[in-house]
Structure formats: C-alpha cells, structure tokens
Amino acid sequence: MSRSQTPSSILDRPIGRSGRGSGSEGMVSLSAFAYLYSELVQYHQSRVASISELERRLESAGYGVGLRVLELLAYRAREVS
C-alpha cells in the first residue's frame, strides 16, 4: 500500500490519533497520555474505599485496553506473515 492510499479498514490504520501523515503527526503526545492516565486514576480513586479495590478497578480498566491492543497487534502480525 502506498502512502497516498487510505487504509481500507480501521485495523489497517496506525494506532495514532488521526492515522494520516507520517512521523509523529499521527501519534498521541506523552503529556496527553499522562493526563488521560492521571484522570483515570483520579476517577477510580474517588469511588473506592480501599487501596485493594482501587488496584482491582485499575487492573480491570487496563485489561480491556491491553486486550484490544494485543488483538490488533496479533491481527497485523498475521497479515504480514
């Protein structure tokens, strides 16, 4: 696929914000990621009574995101092979 073609499927697009262009244009900045992570922790922290419950909630939130990224990477690796 050349750079001028638009990916046909969302699975073929970069994981970045826009999926267009090259370099860092399609990537999310570290400060934006840090802010999102901070908000996620604060959100769950305000709704729990103990540290163990906070850990459980953060683990369950991270598991869903990690699972989706892993599936996407596995799909892309299969396509290359």
Side-chain angles (χ1 to χ4, degrees), residues 57-72:
R57 285 182 176 220
L58 291 175
E59 179 183 2
S60 65
Y63 180 82
V65 172
L67 184 63
R68 290 185 183 129
V69 170
L70 183 60
E71 287 176 344
L72 179 59

Side-chain angles (χ1 to χ4, degrees), residues 4-75:
S4 62
Q5 289 179 325
T6 304
S8 59
S9 167
I10 193 166
L11 296 174
D12 297 327
R13 295 181 191 155
I15 297 178
R17 177 176 36 134
S18 67
R20 296 184 184 95
S22 61
S24 64
E25 189 176 305
M27 297 179 70
V28 176
S29 70
L30 181 59
S31 60
F33 179 79
Y35 176 74
L36 180 63
Y37 180 75
S38 170
E39 288 297 314
L40 177 74
V41 171
Q42 288 178 27
Y43 173 82
H44 287 295
Q45 196 172 28
S46 67
R47 288 162 172 75
V48 297
S50 67
I51 296 296
S52 61
E53 187 179 354
L54 175 62
E55 289 174 347
R56 185 186 54 75
R57 285 182 176 220
L58 291 175
E59 179 183 2
S60 65
Y63 180 82
V65 172
L67 184 63
R68 290 185 183 129
V69 170
L70 183 60
E71 287 176 344
L72 179 59
L73 293 175
Y75 172 79

